């Protein structure tokens, strides 16, 4: 093939490859909303105009956890050092609700102080790319992963460990990572036990698995509540939404609801309030 024809062919190939390649991902405008959801493949931050959350004052029975997370988040919003936080414990006890409520409370104090960016568990491998965008934006952001846990043959926790603490780049100073989980060490108990039984050095194998939770400087435990606290939760909702029901009837119906569900928690209380409001012809 003559030289000129070869050059033309190579140019055509280069142009075709350029058309096939995705456009470079520009730094997004993060002023459109206070909350975003990170999606991978293709990478993008999707704004969330209305966040599904409850007022922080309605979260009863978790006052200590609320105070600690508020203090940590307020320091971060003001530009000071703050810890990554792991909210762990029983399901339905207000872990993710607290994260969203704290974000709203901080922004009520100082409008626009913080972004809330949710990353899904399955997108954890793309976390470094998400952090790079948030770092370039310059906005202070709470990166939030709900129901974070890892199972057998899941190596995504290794990339998360490096990002949170110990990697060359580490976590950007304008980002803090909050996660919720039913598991204190983010690993199933049988997974940890299996490591002990099959590894050449059981101690080292277990340390490798559970050391991820050590990357969180703030641990907050959540547990099922007692009857008095459960009643306080539903009473708070009734007062907030103005539901017409006597305290005696409210307690009787709430207690029956919790018995049929087999537990008392913030989630169970909210589900009861939704049922009660519907029966009373009200919207919440």
């Amino acid at each position: 093939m003559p030289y000129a024809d070869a050059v033309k062919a190579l140019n055509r190939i280069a142009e075709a490859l350029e058309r096939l390649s995705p456009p470079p991902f520009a730094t997004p405008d993060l002023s459109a909303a206070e909350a975003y959801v990170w999606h991978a493949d293709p990478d993008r931050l999707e704004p969330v105009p209305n966040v599904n959350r409850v007022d922080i004052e309605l979260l009863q029975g978790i006052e200590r956890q609320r105070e600690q997370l508020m203090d940590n988040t307020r320091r971060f919003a003001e530009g000071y050092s703050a810890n990554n936080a792991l909210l762990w414990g029983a399901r339905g006890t207000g872990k993710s609700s607290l994260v969203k409520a704290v974000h709203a409370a901080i922004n009520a104090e100082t409008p626009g102080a913080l972004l809330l960016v949710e990353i899904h568990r399955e997108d954890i491998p793309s976390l470094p790319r998400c952090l790079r965008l948030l770092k370039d934006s310059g906005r202070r952001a709470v990166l939030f992963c709900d129901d974070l846990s890892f199972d057998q043959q899941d190596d995504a926790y290794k990339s998360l460990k490096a990002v949170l603490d110990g990697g060359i780049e580490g976590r950007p100073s304008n980002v803090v990572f909050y996660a919720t989980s039913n598991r204190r060490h983010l690993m199933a108990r049988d997974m940890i036990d299996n490591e002990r039984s099959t590894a050449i050095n059981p101690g080292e194998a277990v340390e490798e698995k559970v050391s991820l939770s050590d990357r969180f400087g703030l641990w907050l435990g959540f547990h099922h509540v007692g009857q008095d606290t459960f009643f306080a939760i539903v009473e708070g909702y009734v007062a907030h939404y103005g539901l017409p029901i006597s305290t005696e009837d409210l307690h009787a119906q709430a207690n029956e609801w919790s018995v049929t569900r087999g537990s008392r928690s913030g989630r169970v209380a909210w589900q009861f309030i939704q049922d009660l409001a519907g029966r009373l012809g009200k919207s919440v």
Side-chain angles (χ1 to χ4, degrees), residues 253-271:
Q253 293 184 37
N255 185 59
E256 181 180 357
W257 183 274
S258 67
V259 169
T260 59
R261 293 302 304 271
S263 68
R264 299 186 188 97
S265 69
R267 180 178 296 160
V268 172
W270 175 242
Q271 290 167 344

Side-chain angles (χ1 to χ4, degrees), residues 51-56 59 62 65 69 85-104 116 118 142 144-148 178-182 220 222 266-267 270:
V51 178
N52 178 28
R53 57 188 168 205
V54 299
D55 189 273
I56 195 168
L59 299 176
I62 53 173
Q65 297 93 324
L69 194 64
L86 174 63
L87 291 70
W88 67 275
R91 64 187 187 277
T93 49
K95 300 183 293 294
S96 60
S97 294
L98 181 59
V99 173
K100 292 181 286 186
V102 163
H103 168 255
L116 180 65
E118 182 175 15
V142 173
F144 169 50
C145 185
D146 191 24
D147 197 20
L148 179 64
Y178 288 178
T180 69
S181 179
N182 296 336
L220 300 175
F222 291 72
R267 180 178 296 160
W270 175 242

Side-chain angles (χ1 to χ4, degrees), residues 9 90 92 107 114 129 145 198 200 214 235 237 256 280 282:
N107 276 1
L114 281 181
R129 303 198 299 275
C145 185
T198 59
I200 296 175
D214 291 340
E235 287 172 8
Y237 282 128
E256 181 180 357
L280 294 173
K282 301 285 187 178

Side-chain angles (χ1 to χ4, degrees), residues 65-82:
Q65 297 93 324
R66 182 177 67 191
E67 181 179 350
Q68 288 184 274
L69 194 64
M70 274 291 291
D71 287 345
N72 190 70
T73 310
R74 185 180 289 113
R75 288 195 301 269
F76 173 69
E78 292 174 351
Y80 302 115
S81 298

Side-chain angles (χ1 to χ4, degrees), residues 119-128 145 148 150 156 159-160 177:
I119 181 170
H120 298 133
R121 159 65 188 83
E122 59 270 19
D123 290 332
I124 286 295
S126 69
L127 181 58
C145 185
L148 179 64
F150 300 95
S159 60
L160 181 57
F177 189 82

Side-chain angles (χ1 to χ4, degrees), residues 36-237:
Y36 293 81
V37 175
W38 168 257
H39 298 284
D41 194 24
D43 294 349
R44 68 190 188 281
L45 284 165
E46 179 183 352
V48 181
N50 299 303
V51 178
N52 178 28
R53 57 188 168 205
V54 299
D55 189 273
I56 195 168
E57 298 302 325
L58 294 176
L59 299 176
Q60 302 289 328
I62 53 173
E63 287 78 11
R64 181 184 61 81
Q65 297 93 324
R66 182 177 67 191
E67 181 179 350
Q68 288 184 274
L69 194 64
M70 274 291 291
D71 287 345
N72 190 70
T73 310
R74 185 180 289 113
R75 288 195 301 269
F76 173 69
E78 292 174 351
Y80 302 115
S81 298
N83 277 307
N84 300 314
L86 174 63
L87 291 70
W88 67 275
R91 64 187 187 277
T93 49
K95 300 183 293 294
S96 60
S97 294
L98 181 59
V99 173
K100 292 181 286 186
V102 163
H103 168 255
I106 294 297
N107 276 1
E109 294 177 356
T110 308
L114 281 181
L115 293 176
L116 180 65
V117 179
E118 182 175 15
I119 181 170
H120 298 133
R121 159 65 188 83
E122 59 270 19
D123 290 332
I124 286 295
S126 69
L127 181 58
R129 303 198 299 275
C130 177
L131 288 176
R132 199 170 300 120
L133 288 175
L134 294 177
K135 178 181 179 181
D136 293 342
S137 76
R139 294 286 307 275
R140 302 191 77 78
V142 173
L143 187 57
F144 169 50
C145 185
D146 191 24
D147 197 20
L148 179 64
S149 62
F150 300 95
D151 297 314
Q152 290 282 12
Q153 310 303 323
D154 189 345
D155 289 334
Y157 74 93
K158 294 181 179 179
S159 60
L160 181 57
K161 282 171 58 177
V163 166
L164 294 181
D165 182 21
I168 294 176
E169 289 187 283
R171 171 173 57 90
S173 60
N174 65 319
V175 179
V176 70
F177 189 82
Y178 288 178
T180 69
S181 179
N182 296 336
R183 302 166 178 173
R184 183 173 183 177
H185 289 294
L186 304 173
M187 309 285 179
R189 172 56 58 183
D190 59 350
M191 183 177 177
I192 296 174
D193 292 340
N194 183 64
E195 290 292 338
R196 286 196 178 99
S197 63
T198 59
I200 296 175
N201 189 321
E204 289 182 358
V206 172
E207 284 296 316
E208 168 72 11
K209 296 294 185 183
V210 304
S211 63
L212 172 58
S213 58
D214 291 340
R215 263 60 177 183
F216 295 88
L218 181 60
W219 284 14
L220 300 175
F222 291 72
H223 311 282
H224 288 298
V225 299
Q227 186 180 69
D228 290 344
T229 302
F230 185 72
F231 286 161
I233 295 172
V234 295
E235 287 172 8
Y237 282 128

